[in-house]
Every structure is written in structure tokens, then in C-alpha cells.
């Protein structure tokens, strides 16, 4: 039976909403009926070629749904189980996995090279970032389907799969924010909003949100921001002004541009920590001089998928949802259909909104 999907036919081409045919799940694989899928900036980066995966591909990597069938040898999941999709499954065997750094697994994107479906006209399709969530149904390795803990609404659970794991992990695993510390978050999109909430959960005292748009202030404050700064060439100075001239203990950059990475680094105190979550292109070169690196004694870290182990973090995040500390609905700014994804890409290019969530 054919299902509808959003297909990237070639890098730089517009998405096509079309019918695809999925095979029955083979050994170790499961078929999932999507309830919802978030539109993440990385989908846009795949579509414009900033990040590359084999095409034509079904995009979408932040999803949740219900298992409809399982292939041979799958014992952990059964039809009817609610699951969150994990777009970066770890192999358990590579060097990074042997160190316990599963988010850096060398084989995390191996599945992207496989053909997981065909269009009804017979064109082979790849699963984007492994999970091909911009479709009514998908077939994924069982390692990409994590059981949804109790007490989390299935549609909003989609956000756990990328934005929330990333934002929460940036704060808790990468920057290791401690209670009472001050935090600045650059970029108020889906990941930025999740990062603000994570800073609030961590007990940060002052939480500064920074964005180019003045229109996101209410959204940012609802997610935990205590201060809002409209980005300018003065951003770092503005943030130091809000922290007694010192700068914040921690900056999290969710944009992936040289100018914001530099501003984030400059907005931290002497000895402060900056975590870069945003994914930028090779053209975004950040420069530092040797003397300032010495003088400021700051740390600058990259961060992949929140430096998270999704299987361990999902139950923790669900606990925060049940406890009312993590508000998934506050991240969603638009509830849309599959056919609205191209418009959601346009809005993202224009820097508008938080997270658009496709509801199936
Ligand atoms: Zn994402
Ligand atoms: Zn591995």
C-alpha cells in the first residue's frame, strides 16, 4: 500500500509531495506509522546541500509514531508500541562506541546509503538521516525506534527525537550547566527553545535569549528566558551588561554561523564555556588570536546530537515532561500538513517561528 511522503529529488531542488511504496520490514527492521514529525533546520541543510546524504531521499528525522509491523528477529518491539525515532543509532562496535561516546558513532549514518523505499514510479529512495519521517509510514532498523515512556503525548513526543535531545544535551552533557549559573542561548528556533527550557531545568539564574527577530521574545520568555537581546554587533557587550559586566558562565550557539559563534564566545565570562550546536557550512570560518585565547581562558566545544545517548536520555526527558518541567507544546509554533513543509522551509530561511510540527 502506497503512503504519502516528502521527497528531496536532488540537492537544491524543491521537495515533492508524492506517493511511495515501502517494503515489509526485513530482519531487524520495523515499520512505523508516523503520528508527527518536526521540521528541523537540518532538513533544510540537507535540501540545500550544506549537509549531504544520498538522494533522492525522504527527509524528516524528528518523529514519533506507532509500530505497525516488525521483521524477523525483532524482540524488543511489537505492533502497537509507541516509539520515538532516533536518527543516529549507534553500532556498539566502533571506537567512539567503545568509549561510550555513542553520539560520535562512526556508523551512525550508514543507513542513509541504503534504499528503503521506492516511488510508485519505481525510483529508488534513501532514508535521509536514517528514519525518513516526512512520510505517513516508514521502515527503519529497530535500533532507530526507541520505546516512548509513559505520560508523553505521542504527537509532541516527535520533538524529543532531535530538538529536545539536542538542546537538553547541550546544557546537561556538553556545557554541564550547574544551578545558579548564567546562560545565553543564541538562536530561538526549535533547538534554541529546547535549550532555554533545559537551562531552566538546570536551575540557571539568568537566562538570556538572543535572536535577530524581536518577534520571538514572548516565545523565548515562555521557554525560560529571563532576558531577551535582539542580535546586533553589540550583542556580546549587551550580555555582559546583563551580568554585572562579567559575561555569562555558559553560551549555547544554535545557529551555526561564524558571527554568532564569535559573539557567543565573547559573551562568556573569563573561564566561560561555549557549546556550538548549530550546524554551519565550510565557509563559516571563526578566527581567534593567540593572546585572547590565553587571556580569556574560555572553552569552546562542538556538540553532536546533544552528546546524548538517546536510549538513556529519553526516560529522563519523559520524567521532566510528566513533572511539568519540560513543556513540549511550548516549542511548537505551527501544526502543519505534509504539503506545508516547503512553506515551513521558507519560514525557516526567513528566521521565523520556532518548530513546525507535521501532524499525520
Ligand atoms: Zn534535527
Ligand atoms: Zn559505533
Amino acid at each position: 500500500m502506497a503512503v504519502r511522503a516528502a521527497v528531496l529529488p536532488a540537492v537544491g531542488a524543491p521537495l515533492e509531495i508524492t506517493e511511495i511504496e515501502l517494503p515489509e520490514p526485513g530482519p531487524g527492521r520495523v515499520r512505523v506509522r508516523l503520528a508527527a514529525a518536526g521540521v528541523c533546520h537540518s532538513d533544510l541543510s540537507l535540501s540545500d546541500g550544506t549537509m549531504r546524504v544520498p538522494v533522492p531521499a525522504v527527509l524528516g528525522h524528528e518523529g514519533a509514531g506507532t509500530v505497525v509491523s516488525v521483521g524477523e528477529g525483532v524482540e524488543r518491539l511489537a505492533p502497537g508500541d509507541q516509539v520515538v525515532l532516533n536518527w543516529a543509532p549507534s553500532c556498539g562496535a566502533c571506537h567512539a562506541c567503545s568509549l561510550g561516546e555513542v553520539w560520535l558513532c562512526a556508523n551512525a549514518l550508514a543507513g542513509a546509503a541504503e534504499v528503503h523505499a521506492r516511488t510508485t514510479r519505481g525510483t529508488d529512495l534513501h532514508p535521509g538521516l536514517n528514519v525518513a519521517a516526512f512520510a505517513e509510514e516508514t521502515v527503519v532498523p529497530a535500533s532507530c525506534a526507541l520505546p516512548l515512556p509513559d505520560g508523553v503525548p505521542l504527537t509532541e513526543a516527535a520533538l524529543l527525537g532531535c530538538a529536545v535531545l539536542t538542546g537538553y544535551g547541550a546544557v546537561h552533557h556538553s556545557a554541564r550547566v550547574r544551578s545558579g549559573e548564567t546562560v545565553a542561548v543564541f538562536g530561538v528556533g526549535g533547538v534554541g527553545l529546547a535549550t532555554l527550557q533545559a537551562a531552566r531545568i538546570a536551575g540557571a539564574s539568568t537566562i538570556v535569549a538572543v535572536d535577530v527577530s524581536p518577534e520571538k521574545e514572548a516565545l523565548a520568555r515562555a521557554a525560560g528566558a529571563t532576558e531577551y537581546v535582539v542580535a546586533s554587533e553589540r550583542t556580546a557587550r549587551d550580555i555582559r551588561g546583563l551580568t554585572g559586566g562579567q559575561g555569562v558562565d555558559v553560551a549555547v550557539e544554535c545557529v551555526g554561523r561564524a558571527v554568532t559563534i564569535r559573539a557567543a564566545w565573547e559573551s562568556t565570562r573569563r573561564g566561560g564555556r561555549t557549546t556550538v550546536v548549530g550546524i554551519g557550512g565550510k565557509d563559516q570560518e571563526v578566527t581567534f588570536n593567540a593572546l585572547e585565547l590565553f587571556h580569556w581562558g574560555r572553552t569552546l566545544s562542538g556538540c553532536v546530537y546533544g552528546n546524548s545517548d538517546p536510549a538513556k536520555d529519553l526516560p529522563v526527558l519523559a520524567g521532566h515532561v510528566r513533572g511539568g518541567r519540560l513543556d513540549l507544546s511550548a516549542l511548537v509554533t505551527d501544526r502543519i500538513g505534509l504539503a506545508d513543509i516547503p512553506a515551513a522551509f521558507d519560514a525557516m530561511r526567513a528566521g521565523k517561528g520556532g518548530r513546525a510540527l507535521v501532524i499525520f
Side-chain angles (χ1 to χ4, degrees), residues 16-43:
E16 286 174 4
I17 311 301
T18 187
E19 302 236 302
I20 66 167
E21 306 265 10
L22 291 162
E24 278 312 301
R29 296 169 76 84
V30 299
R31 182 166 175 143
V32 176
R33 180 176 301 128
L34 273 297
V39 184
C40 177
H41 204 276
S42 300
D43 294 308

Side-chain angles (χ1 to χ4, degrees), residues 255-275:
V255 182
R257 295 189 57 211
V259 62
T260 40
I261 293 168
R262 178 75 209 194
W265 185 80
E266 284 179 13
S267 75
T268 60
R269 65 168 169 85
R270 253 186 124 174
R273 291 112 62 204
T274 300
T275 291

Side-chain angles (χ1 to χ4, degrees), residues 9 22 24 29 84 110 179 205 208 246 318:
L22 291 162
E24 278 312 301
R29 296 169 76 84
V84 176
S179 178
S205 53
V208 187
Q246 294 300 312

